[in-house]
Amino acid sequence: MKRLLLFATLFSLFVGAFAKTAKKTKDADAFGIVNNGGVAWASVTRIQKQSNVSNFVWNDKMAGLYYECQSYNLKNFSEWLQLNFMGRMAFYYPYRFYFRDVRQFPAQMLVMSMDFFTAPCITFSIKDYVRLNLEPGLHLKYQKSDKFKYWNLGPGVKLDVELPLSPRWTILLGGMFSWDNGNLGSNRNIRNFDYVWEYQCQFGVRYSKHHKNKKSYLKGFKKYMEEQAELTSEWVEQIRGQKSDEDEESAEM
């Protein structure tokens, strides 16, 4: 637990130092930090190979909350390709346990998990209406179960989709997969795992007052309705003008 608190403290200090590097300017091309958060779900699979029987497989299902910070304008190669950096912290409660597809019930309710992920962020923008974030990085998970304290560490990849709802609000959908070393905790001398992998999905929102979306769905819909209203008014004026000309011609006759 001390190592977890130490890592969480270092992660928080890193995020704070990273955020302070943002320039305090209103320039649209200035470097800065945006924050987002939401709900997350995870599935962890641990396998211990057996020679004389089928493999032992453990699977845990988790639900929780996450917080993420991400830079912007770190390096812009073009309008559709940018490079930034991100850090993510999640807190999970394991609500299902399975051993060889048979549900297990914990003897205590004080089980929890914390998840950390950091990576460079490669952003592909599609006309500023859809943004895809590819994030290959390093994943760390701590999990406290009935008997063991698991530490999973390994490479991971995360893919996010950003949907700009309005100039300040953005909807985020994401998923992550990691391939970890699961023998770093107190279980390493009792139960060594041969394979450990995990996949996660998340749904979140972002509110940014200073770094607004260049284009958004609500703003685009409003502009579309204004353009349609202008076209309709022009069409009405044209019909009225034609009717006035017809009335004048009738009066002359």
Side-chain angles (χ1 to χ4, degrees), residues 108 144-150 186-187 190-191:
Q108 59 174 324
K144 181 181 180 299
S145 65
D146 276 349
K147 299 179 180 179
F148 304 113
K149 296 178 180 178
Y150 301 112
S186 60
N187 67 297
I190 302 174
R191 182 192 296 165

Side-chain angles (χ1 to χ4, degrees), residues 116-174:
F116 303 90
F117 183 75
T118 182
C121 178
I122 305 171
T123 301
F124 302 91
S125 179
I126 305 176
K127 300 294 185 179
D128 288 324
Y129 281 112
V130 178
R131 293 187 293 269
L132 303 177
N133 298 328
L134 178 63
E135 301 159 355
L138 184 64
H139 172 248
L140 173 67
K141 174 179 284 295
Y142 167 81
Q143 181 180 347
K144 181 181 180 299
S145 65
D146 276 349
K147 299 179 180 179
F148 304 113
K149 296 178 180 178
Y150 301 112
W151 286 88
N152 299 345
L153 178 66
V157 61
K158 187 167 172 284
L159 180 64
D160 292 338
V161 179
E162 298 185 7
L163 306 173
L165 181 63
S166 68
R168 295 185 178 183
W169 288 93
T170 306
I171 298 175
L172 299 102
L173 303 174

